[in-house]
Amino acid sequence: MSKSLYSDNNQRLCAILRRERVRKELHQKDLAELISRNQSFVTRYESGQKTLDVHEFLSICQALDYDPHLVIDELLSWSAGQYGDKSPRAMSD
């Protein structure tokens, strides 16, 4: 298994996408139909058992009518809090 599967960022991503699905009052089955996948796909990524590739991520955001930039901004904001003033992006500059 990949280390990124259980990373804090992956867990946070899963939580954000789940939160937005619930906010839209969609069941996992509803979202699965919108993205042409089965319910177990949604269950696996929401529970942190699966990482998403960028195409899957964008498809889910589109189905939820949620701007993917907002997800990324939230992840970066959360990560910056984890690293104090030095986010991973800032550390590589």
Side-chain angles (χ1 to χ4, degrees), residues 1-90:
M1 282 189 222
S2 170
K3 271 183 152 179
S4 66
L5 181 64
Y6 298 107
S7 72
D8 289 341
N9 276 330
N10 187 61
Q11 297 299 312
R12 184 73 183 139
L13 172 64
C14 296
I16 293 167
L17 294 176
R18 181 182 187 284
R19 179 193 71 206
E20 293 308 314
R21 176 185 59 77
V22 170
R23 188 176 287 171
K24 294 285 185 180
E25 298 181 358
L26 293 172
H27 295 283
Q28 287 182 346
K29 183 179 178 184
D30 301 326
L31 177 58
E33 288 175 7
L34 289 171
I35 61 173
S36 302
R37 302 298 292 256
N38 55 39
Q39 181 181 349
S40 67
F41 173 84
V42 177
T43 300
R44 285 191 345 265
Y45 86 74
E46 282 190 356
S47 65
Q49 297 173 20
K50 179 193 184 335
T51 58
L52 296 172
D53 68 30
V54 70
H55 302 289
E56 293 164 336
F57 167 71
L58 292 173
S59 175
I60 292 164
C61 288
Q62 182 177 16
L64 294 173
D65 192 30
Y66 195 69
D67 186 347
H69 296 99
L70 295 175
V71 177
I72 293 168
D73 288 345
E74 188 171 342
L75 287 171
L76 289 173
S77 173
W78 180 80
S79 291
Q82 292 291 303
Y83 294 98
D85 291 18
K86 291 279 195 177
S87 69
R89 172 184 265 167

